[in-house]
Amino acid sequence: MICTVTVGELDLDSGRTEFVDHTIACFDDLVRFFDEVYDDGASQLKEMTGDALVDKSSGEPIGGFSARVSNNFGGRIEVGIGRDWWLLIDLVPKGARFITGSTPAQTDFIFFLDGWHYTGIGSDDVIPRDECLAAIEKWLDGHDLNGDT
């Protein structure tokens, strides 16, 4: 096992969120799982709203849906899984801090974090998908999210 991923799964009938842990064996499986989380969240949101992935009140795009990941070294992160732009928050051991990318996005986003909590995220606080996945892969091997060991 390389990590445990906790995802808030929304029951559309009751509106309740159940947190489910998933054990992931390798990095490729984690990437596939992240893709499933995004696809499932997008399908549920479209079922609830009948619309494209854009917030009606602000016009901001829906960035994605979150999962909490725990590694074998006691670290924990929250990952906002999007299409091109992701969110990466270092939770433990550093305390909540955003890990950002080399270039900011051109727009703000809405992410559904920690069990479907609607959260506005600024364009400076997101990270490109490839950079996010590279940081997570190193973090799973025990490196700091900033590249330190």
Side-chain angles (χ1 to χ4, degrees):
M1 172 192 79
I2 63 163
C3 65
T4 300
V5 180
T6 304
V7 177
E9 297 182 358
L10 180 65
D11 181 318
L12 293 176
D13 295 326
S14 70
R16 294 180 183 217
T17 303
E18 178 183 348
F19 290 92
V20 179
D21 290 339
H22 303 268
T23 301
I24 306 295
C26 69
F27 184 72
D28 289 340
D29 289 348
L30 180 63
V31 173
R32 279 190 288 278
F33 186 76
F34 283 158
D35 290 340
E36 289 173 18
V37 168
Y38 180 84
D39 291 344
D40 291 348
S43 294
Q44 284 186 316
L45 189 62
K46 285 180 182 179
E47 188 174 325
M48 291 186 311
T49 64
D51 273 344
L53 295 176
V54 175
D55 179 60
K56 289 181 182 180
S57 62
S58 69
E60 294 173 348
I62 302 300
F65 311 90
S66 79
R68 288 204 175 185
V69 182
S70 300
N71 68 14
N72 291 327
F73 304 98
R76 190 171 63 219
I77 57 176
E78 181 144 8
V79 181
I81 303 156
R83 230 181 245 147
D84 299 325
W85 293 96
W86 288 35
L87 179 67
L88 183 56
I89 305 172
D90 190 3
L91 299 172
V92 174
K94 302 277 185 183
R97 67 185 173 108
F98 289 90
I99 306 301
T100 58
S102 58
T103 53
Q106 298 299 310
T107 187
D108 294 341
F109 294 93
I110 303 298
F111 278 84
F112 290 91
L113 303 178
D114 193 26
W116 285 84
H117 291 281
Y118 179 97
T119 308
I121 301 295
S123 61
D124 291 340
D125 292 327
V126 293
I127 183 170
R129 173 189 166 96
D130 291 344
E131 289 181 39
C132 186
L133 290 172
I136 292 169
E137 187 172 25
K138 289 178 183 176
W139 175 79
L140 290 169
D141 287 334
H143 298 274
D144 185 79
L145 284 170
N146 289 330
D148 302 329
T149 55

